[in-house]
Amino acid sequence: MILVDTTPVVPVSVTGDFCPMNCKHCGGVYLKHMIAVQKMEEFAKAGRKVFLISGGMTKDGKIPFDNHYQLLKSLKDKYNLKYNFHIGFPLEFPEIVDELADVVSIDFYADSVVLREVYGIDRSIEDQLKVITSFKRPVVPHITIGVLCGKITHEYTAIDILSNHFDRIVLNVFIPTRGTFYESCPVPDLNEVERVFEYAKEKFKVVFLGCMQPKGSYRIELQKRIGFIDGITKPVLKKANTRNCCAFEIIQVHRSTS
């Protein structure tokens, strides 16, 4: 099993801590733990090589990467950086991402009602698939289990749909986060979460637990239960055996098993 320490990965927001969407599970809280795109070179000079490029979404579900194209390209070329782009929900194919990304991470929703409730935008399954199946770069789809206030809703359907297009998946687990609309929601039931992982392992060649997972005893028990998957990010039961972003690691595992 691959045990991933994400410490070396530098999370970058191209919008600072500003996000017009104010999504119910995030509310911009996670952006506060990311560096501004203007500070990337400081980290590159210090030897950091892997960057997660993300940011707040505009009201139409896009992350405004285009505003920083020249900076992102020049830094990548100058310091030989690797980029994992987390792209939001664009309706149009983002060519800048396909040009600059080494890997592309995409959240997927198999229920437009759930997506609208969490993010406040309208996207059909077809809208999402049109974009995520167009990339030349490696794509790693993500599903957040229990994202609708801790409830299991669209996850099994999402797994079914994505398994027709990909043989790899990252599963995150919803965290009730202080300062968000969903801060008082329960964590997803561990038995239900375990069943989702079991189902995903039946459908995909490679399954990873992503970096979003509740802390404390919940994380310990979760990681105990899902020892049958291929990779765990932020391991607590054993020492990590690689330091990277889980999206890069799942691509490597996928290539080695193809």
Side-chain angles (χ1 to χ4, degrees), residues 54-89:
S54 187
M57 285 185 283
T58 58
K59 288 292 188 179
D60 58 357
K62 292 172 58 178
I63 298 176
F65 300 118
D66 289 359
N67 299 344
H68 304 282
Y69 170 76
Q70 289 298 335
L71 177 61
L72 292 170
K73 186 179 189 320
S74 64
L75 291 177
K76 184 178 179 64
D77 293 342
K78 182 177 181 179
Y79 295 100
N80 193 29
L81 303 181
K82 291 186 177 181
Y83 291 160
N84 172 14
F85 273 80
H86 180 234
I87 69 167
F89 300 95

Side-chain angles (χ1 to χ4, degrees), residues 139-195:
V139 172
V140 179
H142 290 53
I143 299 171
T144 301
I145 302 172
V147 69
L148 186 64
C149 199
K151 303 172 186 174
I152 305 301
T153 53
H154 72 295
E155 289 84 345
Y156 289 98
T157 305
I159 288 169
D160 286 338
I161 292 170
L162 289 171
S163 66
N164 292 323
H165 302 275
F166 301 92
D167 55 8
R168 54 187 176 267
I169 188 76
V170 169
L171 298 178
N172 287 310
V173 181
F174 165 72
I175 303 172
T177 302
R178 183 177 297 177
T180 70
F181 188 87
Y182 282 166
E183 66 177 335
S184 298
C185 294
V187 292
D189 180 82
L190 267 169
N191 292 324
E192 294 185 344
V193 172
E194 183 180 6
R195 285 193 286 270

Side-chain angles (χ1 to χ4, degrees), residues 84 103-105 140 142 170 208 245-252:
N84 172 14
V103 66
V104 182
S105 294
V140 179
H142 290 53
V170 169
F208 270 46
C245 178
C246 71
F248 284 103
E249 290 300 327
I250 199 171
I251 290 297
Q252 291 299 323

Side-chain angles (χ1 to χ4, degrees), residues 94-151:
E95 293 183 5
I96 178 178
V97 176
D98 215 21
E99 177 185 346
L100 296 181
D102 296 280
V103 66
V104 182
S105 294
I106 300 177
D107 294 303
F108 181 77
Y109 284 75
D111 188 324
S112 58
V113 175
V114 174
L115 181 60
R116 187 185 311 115
E117 174 65 22
V118 176
Y119 288 86
I121 59 173
D122 290 307
R123 291 290 185 275
S124 67
I125 292 171
E126 293 73 23
D127 289 335
Q128 297 173 72
L129 288 176
K130 181 181 177 181
V131 172
I132 68 178
T133 58
S134 298
F135 284 97
K136 296 177 183 177
R137 303 291 182 174
V139 172
V140 179
H142 290 53
I143 299 171
T144 301
I145 302 172
V147 69
L148 186 64
C149 199
K151 303 172 186 174

